[in-house]
Every structure is written in C-alpha cells, then in structure tokens.
Amino acid sequence: MVPLASLSIPLPSLRMQALEAGPANGPLVLLLHGFPELSESWREVLPVLGAAGFRAVAPDLRGYGGTDRPKYGYDLDTLAADIYQLARYLQPSRPAHVVGHDWGGVIAYHLAAQHPEVVDRLAVINAPHPRVMARRMWNPAQLARSWYMFFFQLPWLPERRLSQHGGAAVPRAIRRALVDKSRVSEERLKPYAENFAKPEAARAALAYYRNSLRGALTPWGLRKLLRGYPRIRAPFLLLWAEEDIALGRELTYELEPWFEHPPLVRYLPGVGHFAPLEAPEQVATLLLEFLEDRAPASEAR
C-alpha cells in the first residue's frame, strides 16, 4: 500500500492542506472533494493512483478542514483560481489531470472551461455540467431533490443545524445517501463531524451554495448564463453513481455540445452519491483506465 503524506501548501490566495500519494515526479492528479466532505473522502483512492505512478493530491478546499477559511472568496471564479494556483505550484511545467466530486466537480468544470491550459484530462463524479444543471434544475423532480440548496440560502439556521451536537448531522446526511452503509463506518466519518462542529466551518461550506445561487440571479450572472459556457477542450469522463438521492440520471444526458471530445459516461449501479467513499475501488479503477487512456471508446447517452 502506498503511504499517504500530509502537505501544507502556501498559495498566493491562501494556505491549503492536502493529502498526497505517489512519486513526486509522477503526472499530477488533483482530486477535489464535495459537500459536506474533506480530502479524507479520497483516502482509499489516492494510494491506488499513487501505486500506478501518479502524484495524487487531494486538497481540503477553501474553508474546509486544514485549509484557510477566509471570510470571502467562495464564488466559483475564486474557487477555481485556488485550484489553478495549486496546479501551477505543484507542477509548473505541464497541465494536471483534475478529478472532482460534487462541488469539487463544479469547480473542475469551471477550471477546465476558463483555464484549459492547466487541465490535461478532466473526470467528474456525480456533478452535472453547469449548463445542463441550469437547463434541468427547474424540472419538478429535480427541484424536489434540490430542496436543500434553497434551505441553505436562509441566514444562520443552516449553519446552526450543521454544527450543533458536535456536527452529528453531517455523518447522518452522508450515511442516508449511501446504498451499502456497511461500506463506510461511523469512525470513518468522525473527521467530517469534527470539521462541521465549528460554526465558522459550516458557514464557509454553505457559502459555496449561497454565492452560487445568488450570483446566478444577478444581472452579471444571468448574462454569463445566457452568453453560454466555453466548450471544454480536455478529454472528459463522467462517473455517475446511479442511486444518487440529490441528482437525477437525466443530468448525464446531452453533454456533447459542451465538450470538444466525445464525453465518456460510466454508470455505477448500486452506488449512492458519495461514490469515492462508498465505492473507492470502482472509482479508482475507472479513473486509472481513463487517465492511462485505457477506457473503451464510448459516447454519452
């Protein structure tokens, strides 16, 4: 088993904490976690990528875990700029492979669209392309699944709910989204509770949702949506856990207009939203096939 190391990385925008596996001179793979998670979510994926010769690095995103928690800067441009800086800091001379789950996936799309020079290959797990989400968000079934996004817009109450009782709501929420709950122990989820037990950490995580929705409703945000989204140049893989309670399978369709290469979509049956936690072996295997260009030719349905 390839050991994990902890990194503290001084970026221009903030100091970022990360987990790392693999040789320092290997091709860089950045793994970006989602809500309400940490770099810990990649703990079982990192050694597999490291053993294959990749330098696999999973940061705590802005506001999470050991990474700095500024009061501001939770808009998508700034979040993507953090990862741009991270990629340039760790591997200045060539682009990185970028993998994102949930909110990490949203950031990865944005980075690949706005800064194509730093993204070699792009893989996303259970996060819809922003334009697909914008188009299908108002479907009644998806609106019902996305109720929590609107709840998160309320002042003070959501962070109180997340941080009370030592952050106990966070492991409960993650476990509700798992299909095979035996795959993820209570002990494994303790770091998530400890992080969200801090009200300022809960507030920072919620700022992702608050900035996203409120920004989309500004004149500038609406202009950006209407103007379109740059086509992503990097080869793209979407991994989709089919038992996602928050995001419908229809969000995986009609991706072709937003990518220069035919997108690959691979479905994970019997797996819930938190696929890197619940099915790390499947996730790691499919990522390696893609990153090593061993994936069979396929097109999104």
Coordinates of all heavy atoms in Angstrom, one line a residue, residues 144-214:
A144 N -37.4 19.0 -6.4 CA -37.7 18.3 -5.2 C -36.4 17.8 -4.6 O -36.2 17.8 -3.4 CB -38.7 17.2 -5.4
R145 N -35.5 17.2 -5.5 CA -34.2 16.7 -5.0 C -33.3 17.8 -4.5 O -32.5 17.5 -3.6 CB -33.5 15.9 -6.1 CG -34.2 14.7 -6.6 CD -33.3 13.9 -7.6 NE -34.0 12.8 -8.3 CZ -34.5 12.9 -9.5 NH1 -34.3 14.0 -10.2 NH2 -35.1 11.9 -10.0
S146 N -33.5 19.0 -5.0 CA -32.5 20.1 -4.7 C -33.1 21.0 -3.6 O -32.6 22.1 -3.4 CB -32.3 20.9 -6.0 OG -31.7 20.1 -7.0
W147 N -34.0 20.5 -2.8 CA -34.7 21.4 -1.8 C -33.6 22.0 -0.9 O -33.7 23.2 -0.4 CB -35.7 20.6 -1.0 CG -35.0 19.5 -0.2 CD1 -34.8 18.2 -0.5 CD2 -34.5 19.7 1.2 NE1 -34.2 17.5 0.5 CE2 -34.0 18.4 1.5 CE3 -34.4 20.7 2.1 CZ2 -33.4 18.2 2.8 CZ3 -33.8 20.5 3.3 CH2 -33.3 19.2 3.6
Y148 N -32.6 21.2 -0.6 CA -31.6 21.7 0.4 C -30.8 22.9 0.0 O -30.4 23.7 0.8 CB -30.6 20.6 0.8 CG -29.8 20.1 -0.4 CD1 -28.5 20.6 -0.7 CD2 -30.3 19.1 -1.3 CE1 -27.8 20.2 -1.8 CE2 -29.6 18.7 -2.4 CZ -28.3 19.2 -2.6 OH -27.6 18.8 -3.7
M149 N -30.7 23.1 -1.4 CA -30.0 24.3 -1.9 C -30.7 25.5 -1.5 O -30.1 26.6 -1.2 CB -29.8 24.2 -3.4 CG -29.0 23.0 -3.9 SD -28.8 23.1 -5.7 CE -28.0 21.5 -6.0
F150 N -32.0 25.5 -1.5 CA -32.8 26.6 -1.1 C -32.9 26.8 0.4 O -32.8 28.0 0.9 CB -34.2 26.5 -1.7 CG -34.2 26.4 -3.2 CD1 -34.3 25.1 -3.8 CD2 -34.1 27.5 -4.0 CE1 -34.3 25.0 -5.2 CE2 -34.1 27.4 -5.4 CZ -34.2 26.1 -6.0
F151 N -32.9 25.7 1.1 CA -32.8 25.8 2.6 C -31.5 26.5 3.0 O -31.4 27.3 3.9 CB -32.9 24.4 3.2 CG -32.6 24.4 4.7 CD1 -33.5 25.0 5.6 CD2 -31.5 23.7 5.1 CE1 -33.2 25.0 6.9 CE2 -31.2 23.7 6.5 CZ -32.0 24.3 7.4
F152 N -30.4 26.2 2.3 CA -29.1 26.8 2.6 C -29.0 28.3 2.4 O -28.1 28.9 2.8 CB -28.0 26.1 1.8 CG -27.7 24.7 2.2 CD1 -27.0 23.8 1.4 CD2 -28.2 24.1 3.4 CE1 -26.7 22.5 1.7 CE2 -27.9 22.8 3.8 CZ -27.1 22.0 2.9
Q153 N -30.0 28.9 1.7 CA -30.0 30.3 1.5 C -30.4 31.1 2.7 O -30.2 32.3 2.8 CB -30.9 30.7 0.3 CG -30.5 30.0 -1.0 CD -29.1 30.2 -1.4 OE1 -28.6 31.3 -1.4 NE2 -28.4 29.0 -1.7
L154 N -31.1 30.4 3.7 CA -31.5 31.1 4.9 C -30.4 31.5 5.7 O -29.3 30.9 5.8 CB -32.4 30.1 5.7 CG -33.7 29.6 5.0 CD1 -34.4 28.6 5.9 CD2 -34.6 30.8 4.7
P155 N -30.5 32.6 6.5 CA -29.4 33.1 7.4 C -29.4 32.2 8.6 O -30.4 31.7 9.1 CB -29.8 34.5 7.7 CG -31.3 34.5 7.5 CD -31.7 33.6 6.4
W156 N -28.2 32.0 9.1 CA -27.8 31.4 10.4 C -28.4 30.0 10.7 O -27.8 29.2 11.3 CB -28.1 32.3 11.6 CG -29.5 32.6 12.0 CD1 -30.3 33.6 11.6 CD2 -30.4 31.8 12.8 NE1 -31.6 33.5 12.1 CE2 -31.6 32.4 12.9 CE3 -30.2 30.6 13.5 CZ2 -32.7 31.9 13.6 CZ3 -31.2 30.1 14.3 CH2 -32.5 30.7 14.3
L157 N -29.7 29.7 10.3 CA -30.3 28.4 10.7 C -29.5 27.2 10.1 O -29.3 26.2 10.8 CB -31.7 28.4 10.3 CG -32.5 27.1 10.6 CD1 -32.5 26.8 12.1 CD2 -33.9 27.2 10.0
P158 N -29.2 27.2 8.8 CA -28.5 26.0 8.3 C -27.1 25.7 9.0 O -26.9 24.6 9.3 CB -28.3 26.4 6.8 CG -29.3 27.4 6.5 CD -29.5 28.2 7.7
E159 N -26.3 26.8 9.2 CA -25.1 26.5 9.9 C -25.3 26.0 11.3 O -24.5 25.2 11.8 CB -24.1 27.7 9.9 CG -24.7 29.0 10.1 CD -25.1 29.8 8.9 OE1 -25.9 29.3 8.1 OE2 -24.5 30.9 8.7
R160 N -26.3 26.5 12.0 CA -26.6 26.0 13.3 C -27.0 24.5 13.3 O -26.5 23.7 14.1 CB -27.7 26.8 13.9 CG -28.1 26.4 15.3 CD -29.1 27.2 16.0 NE -29.5 26.7 17.3 CZ -30.4 27.3 18.1 NH1 -31.1 28.3 17.7 NH2 -30.7 26.7 19.3
R161 N -27.8 24.2 12.3 CA -28.2 22.8 12.2 C -27.0 21.9 11.9 O -27.0 20.7 12.4 CB -29.3 22.6 11.0 CG -30.6 23.2 11.4 CD -31.4 22.4 12.3 NE -31.7 21.1 11.8 CZ -32.7 20.8 11.0 NH1 -33.6 21.7 10.6 NH2 -32.9 19.6 10.6
L162 N -26.1 22.3 11.1 CA -24.9 21.5 10.7 C -23.9 21.4 11.8 O -23.3 20.4 12.0 CB -24.3 22.1 9.5 CG -25.0 21.9 8.1 CD1 -24.2 22.7 7.1 CD2 -25.0 20.5 7.7
S163 N -23.8 22.4 12.7 CA -22.7 22.4 13.7 C -23.2 22.0 15.0 O -22.3 21.6 15.9 CB -22.1 23.8 13.8 OG -23.1 24.8 14.2
Q164 N -24.5 21.9 15.3 CA -24.9 21.5 16.6 C -24.6 20.1 16.9 O -24.5 19.3 16.0 CB -26.4 21.9 16.8 CG -27.3 21.0 16.0 CD -28.8 21.5 16.1 OE1 -29.1 22.4 16.9 NE2 -29.7 20.8 15.4
H165 N -24.6 19.7 18.2 CA -24.3 18.4 18.7 C -23.0 17.8 18.1 O -22.9 16.6 17.6 CB -25.5 17.4 18.4 CG -26.8 17.9 18.8 ND1 -27.0 18.3 20.2 CD2 -28.0 18.2 18.2 CE1 -28.3 18.7 20.3 NE2 -28.9 18.7 19.1
G166 N -22.0 18.7 18.0 CA -20.7 18.2 17.5 C -20.7 17.9 16.0 O -19.9 17.0 15.6
G167 N -21.5 18.5 15.3 CA -21.6 18.2 13.8 C -22.2 16.9 13.5 O -22.0 16.4 12.3
A168 N -23.0 16.4 14.3 CA -23.6 15.0 14.1 C -24.5 14.9 12.9 O -24.6 13.8 12.3 CB -24.4 14.6 15.4
A169 N -25.1 16.0 12.4 CA -25.9 16.0 11.3 C -25.2 15.6 10.0 O -25.8 15.0 9.1 CB -26.6 17.3 11.1
V170 N -23.9 15.9 9.9 CA -23.1 15.6 8.7 C -22.9 14.1 8.5 O -23.3 13.6 7.4 CB -21.8 16.4 8.7 CG1 -20.9 16.0 7.6 CG2 -22.1 17.9 8.7
P171 N -22.4 13.3 9.4 CA -22.3 11.9 9.2 C -23.7 11.3 8.9 O -23.8 10.4 8.0 CB -21.8 11.3 10.5 CG -21.0 12.5 11.1 CD -21.8 13.7 10.7
R172 N -24.8 11.8 9.6 CA -26.1 11.2 9.3 C -26.5 11.5 7.9 O -27.1 10.6 7.2 CB -27.1 11.9 10.2 CG -27.1 11.3 11.7 CD -28.4 11.6 12.4 NE -28.8 13.0 12.4 CZ -28.4 13.8 13.3 NH1 -27.7 13.4 14.4 NH2 -28.8 15.1 13.3
A173 N -26.2 12.7 7.4 CA -26.6 13.0 6.0 C -25.8 12.2 5.0 O -26.4 11.7 4.0 CB -26.3 14.5 5.7
I174 N -24.5 12.0 5.2 CA -23.7 11.1 4.3 C -24.2 9.7 4.3 O -24.4 9.1 3.3 CB -22.3 11.2 4.7 CG1 -21.7 12.6 4.5 CG2 -21.4 10.2 4.0 CD1 -20.3 12.9 5.0
R175 N -24.5 9.2 5.5 CA -25.0 7.8 5.6 C -26.3 7.6 4.9 O -26.6 6.5 4.3 CB -25.0 7.3 7.1 CG -23.6 7.2 7.7 CD -23.7 6.6 9.1 NE -24.0 5.2 9.0 CZ -23.2 4.2 8.6 NH1 -22.0 4.5 8.3 NH2 -23.6 3.0 8.6
R176 N -27.2 8.6 5.0 CA -28.5 8.5 4.3 C -28.4 8.3 2.8 O -29.2 7.7 2.2 CB -29.4 9.7 4.6 CG -30.2 9.6 5.9 CD -31.3 10.6 5.9 NE -30.9 12.0 5.7 CZ -30.5 12.8 6.7 NH1 -30.5 12.4 8.0 NH2 -30.1 14.1 6.5
A177 N -27.3 8.9 2.3 CA -27.1 8.9 0.8 C -26.3 7.6 0.4 O -26.2 7.4 -0.8 CB -26.3 10.1 0.4
L178 N -25.9 6.8 1.3 CA -25.2 5.5 0.9 C -26.2 4.4 0.7 O -27.2 4.3 1.3 CB -24.3 5.1 2.1 CG -23.2 6.1 2.5 CD1 -22.4 5.5 3.7 CD2 -22.2 6.4 1.4
V179 N -25.9 3.6 -0.3 CA -26.7 2.4 -0.5 C -26.2 1.3 0.4 O -27.0 0.7 1.1 CB -26.6 1.9 -2.0 CG1 -27.3 0.6 -2.2 CG2 -27.1 3.0 -2.9
D180 N -24.9 1.0 0.4 CA -24.3 0.0 1.3 C -23.7 0.7 2.5 O -22.5 1.1 2.5 CB -23.3 -0.8 0.6 CG -22.7 -2.0 1.4 OD1 -23.1 -2.1 2.6 OD2 -21.8 -2.7 0.9
K181 N -24.5 0.9 3.6 CA -24.0 1.7 4.7 C -22.9 1.0 5.4 O -22.1 1.6 6.2 CB -25.2 2.0 5.6 CG -26.2 3.0 5.0 CD -27.4 3.2 5.9 CE -28.3 4.2 5.3 NZ -28.7 4.0 3.9
S182 N -22.8 -0.3 5.3 CA -21.7 -1.1 5.9 C -20.3 -0.7 5.4 O -19.3 -1.0 6.0 CB -21.9 -2.6 5.8 OG -21.8 -3.0 4.5
R183 N -20.3 -0.1 4.2 CA -19.1 0.2 3.5 C -18.3 1.3 4.2 O -17.1 1.5 4.0 CB -19.3 0.5 2.0 CG -18.1 0.7 1.2 CD -17.3 -0.6 1.1 NE -16.0 -0.4 0.4 CZ -14.9 0.1 0.9 NH1 -14.9 0.6 2.2 NH2 -13.8 0.3 0.2
V184 N -19.1 2.2 4.9 CA -18.4 3.4 5.5 C -18.8 3.4 7.0 O -19.9 3.5 7.4 CB -19.0 4.7 4.8 CG1 -18.3 5.9 5.4 CG2 -18.7 4.6 3.3
S185 N -17.8 3.2 7.8 CA -18.0 3.1 9.3 C -18.3 4.4 9.9 O -17.9 5.5 9.3 CB -16.8 2.4 9.9 OG -15.7 3.3 9.9
E186 N -18.9 4.4 11.1 CA -19.1 5.6 11.8 C -17.7 6.3 12.1 O -17.6 7.5 12.1 CB -19.8 5.3 13.2 CG -21.2 4.8 13.0 CD -22.2 5.8 12.7 OE1 -21.8 7.0 12.6 OE2 -23.4 5.5 12.5
E187 N -16.7 5.5 12.4 CA -15.4 6.0 12.8 C -14.8 6.8 11.6 O -14.2 7.8 11.7 CB -14.4 4.9 13.1 CG -13.1 5.3 13.6 CD -13.1 5.9 15.0 OE1 -14.1 5.7 15.7 OE2 -12.2 6.7 15.3
R188 N -15.1 6.3 10.4 CA -14.6 6.9 9.1 C -15.1 8.3 9.0 O -14.5 9.2 8.3 CB -15.0 6.0 8.0 CG -14.5 6.5 6.6 CD -13.1 6.0 6.3 NE -12.8 6.2 4.9 CZ -12.4 7.3 4.3 NH1 -12.3 8.4 5.0 NH2 -12.2 7.3 3.0
L189 N -16.3 8.6 9.5 CA -17.0 9.8 9.3 C -16.8 10.8 10.4 O -17.3 12.0 10.3 CB -18.5 9.6 9.1 CG -18.9 8.8 7.9 CD1 -20.4 8.6 7.8 CD2 -18.4 9.4 6.6
K190 N -16.0 10.4 11.4 CA -15.8 11.4 12.6 C -15.1 12.7 12.1 O -15.4 13.7 12.6 CB -14.9 10.7 13.6 CG -15.8 9.8 14.6 CD -14.9 9.3 15.7 CE -15.8 8.5 16.7 NZ -14.9 7.9 17.8
P191 N -14.1 12.6 11.2 CA -13.5 13.9 10.8 C -14.4 14.9 10.2 O -14.3 16.1 10.4 CB -12.4 13.5 9.8 CG -12.1 12.0 10.2 CD -13.4 11.5 10.6
Y192 N -15.5 14.4 9.5 CA -16.4 15.3 8.9 C -17.3 16.0 10.0 O -17.5 17.2 9.9 CB -17.4 14.5 8.0 CG -16.7 13.8 6.9 CD1 -16.2 12.5 7.1 CD2 -16.4 14.3 5.7 CE1 -15.5 11.8 6.1 CE2 -15.8 13.6 4.7 CZ -15.3 12.4 4.9 OH -14.6 11.7 3.9
A193 N -17.7 15.2 11.0 CA -18.4 15.8 12.1 C -17.5 16.9 12.9 O -18.0 18.0 13.2 CB -18.9 14.8 13.1
E194 N -16.3 16.5 13.1 CA -15.4 17.4 13.8 C -15.2 18.7 13.1 O -15.1 19.8 13.7 CB -14.1 16.7 14.1 CG -14.1 15.6 15.1 CD -12.9 14.7 15.1 OE1 -12.0 15.0 14.3 OE2 -12.9 13.7 15.9
N195 N -15.1 18.6 11.8 CA -15.0 19.8 10.9 C -16.2 20.7 11.0 O -16.1 21.9 11.3 CB -14.7 19.5 9.5 CG -14.6 20.7 8.6 OD1 -13.6 21.5 8.7 ND2 -15.5 20.9 7.7
F196 N -17.4 20.1 10.9 CA -18.6 20.9 10.8 C -19.1 21.3 12.2 O -20.0 22.1 12.3 CB -19.7 20.2 10.0 CG -19.6 20.4 8.6 CD1 -18.7 19.5 7.8 CD2 -20.3 21.4 7.9 CE1 -18.6 19.7 6.4 CE2 -20.1 21.6 6.6 CZ -19.3 20.8 5.8
A197 N -18.5 20.8 13.3 CA -18.8 21.2 14.6 C -18.4 22.7 14.8 O -19.0 23.3 15.7 CB -18.2 20.3 15.6
K198 N -17.5 23.2 14.0 CA -17.1 24.6 14.1 C -18.1 25.4 13.3 O -18.2 25.2 12.1 CB -15.7 24.8 13.6 CG -14.7 23.8 14.2 CD -13.3 24.1 13.5 CE -12.3 23.0 13.9 NZ -12.6 21.7 13.3
P199 N -18.9 26.3 13.9 CA -19.8 27.1 13.1 C -19.2 27.9 11.9 O -19.8 28.0 10.9 CB -20.4 28.1 14.1 CG -20.2 27.4 15.5 CD -19.0 26.6 15.3
E200 N -18.0 28.3 12.1 CA -17.3 29.1 11.0 C -17.0 28.1 9.8 O -17.0 28.6 8.7 CB -16.1 29.8 11.5 CG -15.0 28.8 12.0 CD -15.1 28.4 13.4 OE1 -16.1 28.6 14.0 OE2 -14.0 28.0 14.0
A201 N -16.8 26.8 10.1 CA -16.5 25.9 9.0 C -17.8 25.6 8.3 O -17.9 25.5 7.1 CB -15.9 24.6 9.6
A202 N -18.9 25.4 9.0 CA -20.2 25.2 8.4 C -20.6 26.4 7.6 O -21.1 26.3 6.4 CB -21.3 25.0 9.5
R203 N -20.3 27.6 8.1 CA -20.7 28.8 7.3 C -19.9 28.9 6.0 O -20.4 29.3 5.0 CB -20.4 30.1 8.2 CG -21.0 31.4 7.7 CD -20.8 32.5 8.7 NE -21.5 32.1 10.0 CZ -20.9 31.9 11.1 NH1 -19.6 32.1 11.2 NH2 -21.6 31.6 12.2
A204 N -18.6 28.6 6.1 CA -17.8 28.6 4.9 C -18.3 27.6 3.8 O -18.4 27.9 2.6 CB -16.3 28.3 5.2
A205 N -18.7 26.4 4.2 CA -19.2 25.4 3.3 C -20.5 25.8 2.7 O -20.7 25.7 1.5 CB -19.4 24.1 4.0
L206 N -21.4 26.5 3.5 CA -22.6 26.9 3.0 C -22.5 28.1 2.0 O -23.3 28.4 1.1 CB -23.5 27.4 4.1 CG -24.0 26.2 5.0 CD1 -24.6 26.7 6.3 CD2 -25.0 25.3 4.3
A207 N -21.4 28.8 2.2 CA -21.1 30.0 1.3 C -21.0 29.6 -0.2 O -21.3 30.4 -1.1 CB -19.9 30.7 1.7
Y208 N -20.6 28.3 -0.4 CA -20.5 27.8 -1.8 C -21.9 27.9 -2.5 O -22.0 28.4 -3.6 CB -20.0 26.4 -1.8 CG -18.6 26.2 -1.6 CD1 -17.9 26.6 -0.4 CD2 -17.8 25.5 -2.5 CE1 -16.6 26.4 -0.2 CE2 -16.4 25.2 -2.3 CZ -15.8 25.7 -1.2 OH -14.5 25.4 -0.9
Y209 N -22.9 27.4 -1.7 CA -24.3 27.4 -2.3 C -24.8 28.8 -2.3 O -25.5 29.2 -3.3 CB -25.2 26.6 -1.4 CG -24.9 25.1 -1.5 CD1 -24.0 24.4 -0.6 CD2 -25.4 24.3 -2.5 CE1 -23.8 23.1 -0.7 CE2 -25.2 23.0 -2.6 CZ -24.3 22.4 -1.7 OH -24.1 21.0 -1.8
R210 N -24.6 29.6 -1.3 CA -25.1 31.0 -1.2 C -24.6 31.9 -2.4 O -25.3 32.6 -3.0 CB -24.9 31.6 0.1 CG -25.7 30.9 1.2 CD -25.3 31.2 2.6 NE -26.2 30.7 3.6 CZ -25.9 30.6 4.9 NH1 -24.8 31.0 5.4 NH2 -26.8 30.0 5.7
N211 N -23.3 31.8 -2.6 CA -22.7 32.6 -3.7 C -23.1 32.1 -5.0 O -23.4 32.9 -5.9 CB -21.2 32.5 -3.6 CG -20.6 33.5 -2.6 OD1 -20.3 34.6 -2.9 ND2 -20.4 33.0 -1.3
S212 N -23.3 30.8 -5.2 CA -23.7 30.2 -6.5 C -25.1 30.7 -6.9 O -25.3 31.2 -8.0 CB -23.6 28.7 -6.4 OG -24.0 28.1 -7.6
L213 N -26.0 30.5 -6.0 CA -27.4 30.8 -6.4 C -27.6 32.3 -6.5 O -28.2 32.8 -7.4 CB -28.4 30.2 -5.3 CG -29.9 30.2 -5.7 CD1 -30.1 29.6 -7.0 CD2 -30.7 29.6 -4.6
R214 N -27.1 33.0 -5.5 CA -27.3 34.5 -5.5 C -26.6 35.1 -6.7 O -27.1 36.0 -7.3 CB -26.9 35.1 -4.2 CG -27.8 34.6 -3.0 CD -27.2 35.0 -1.7 NE -27.9 34.4 -0.6 CZ -27.6 34.5 0.7 NH1 -26.6 35.2 1.0 NH2 -28.3 33.8 1.6

